[in-house]
Amino acid sequence: ESASDQFRVNVSEYVDPARWAREVDVFYKRTPIVAGMSCELPGPGTYMALEIVGVPLLLVRDRENSLRAFLNVCRHRGSRLCTSETGHSGRLVCPYHAWTYGLDGKLLKRFPVGGEGKGRPAAASYAGDGEIDFAALKAEARATTHSI
């Protein structure tokens, strides 16, 4: 039997760039979203580089086997720290000037130029160690631990 009234959505709702930009800001950048499965980072030093709605993320399993999330960008010149999608490394080295970060994000070595860019790669907040890992893409959206 047919419904007496049908709900219709104008096709422009699905293709409007301004609406998409609002949805990215509200849904993707303000709330924790699924960033991957814990099993994809099986041990210390493993990493996964991905991009979610234009934000380059780097998920890393540190030396204590905890999962961390950073923006996949060197603080010096903005180069991607990891260019392959997955891998294993004892540290994160920028291919541009070899700025080197530990798996905890701490700057270990930098090219000796001025004082800019000191510190860690910008962090995305992260919650994980369940079977599904969540990352929040804006600082004000703090991820909470969820295990599913």
Side-chain angles (χ1 to χ4, degrees):
E1 216 174 289
S2 296
S4 59
D5 202 13
Q6 294 181 357
F7 178 75
R8 295 185 186 268
V9 177
N10 190 320
V11 72
S12 67
E13 297 290 326
Y14 298 103
V15 296
D16 179 26
R19 182 181 179 97
W20 171 244
R22 285 191 310 274
E23 287 182 8
V24 165
D25 186 54
V26 171
F27 296 112
Y28 290 97
K29 292 188 176 179
R30 292 187 188 185
T31 59
I33 56 175
V34 174
M37 302 291 289
S38 293
C39 62
E40 293 177 282
L41 299 169
T46 54
Y47 68 84
M48 181 170 61
L50 62 154
E51 190 170 297
I52 299 176
V53 294
V55 178
L57 290 177
L58 184 59
L59 303 180
V60 179
R61 180 112 24 207
D62 69 14
R63 295 190 188 284
E64 288 74 41
N65 213 28
S66 293
L67 287 166
R68 296 180 176 258
F70 303 103
L71 294 180
N72 187 13
V73 178
C74 179
R75 284 198 171 247
H76 179 226
R77 297 284 184 201
S79 181
R80 296 284 166 102
L81 291 170
C82 296
T83 55
S84 60
E85 289 182 14
T86 60
H88 183 275
S89 181
R91 59 193 174 175
L92 307 170
V93 181
C94 176
Y96 191 60
H97 277 133
W99 281 39
T100 305
Y101 300 88
L103 299 176
D104 61 355
K106 182 179 178 184
L107 180 63
L108 302 175
K109 183 181 103 183
R110 68 184 182 95
F111 187 72
V113 291
E116 81 276 12
K118 292 181 182 177
R120 302 170 188 257
S125 61
Y126 174 79
D129 285 341
E131 292 179 20
I132 298 178
D133 304 320
F134 295 83
L137 305 181
K138 279 191 176 179
E140 64 267 18
R142 295 290 172 213
T144 56
T145 303
H146 299 284
S147 293
I148 296 177

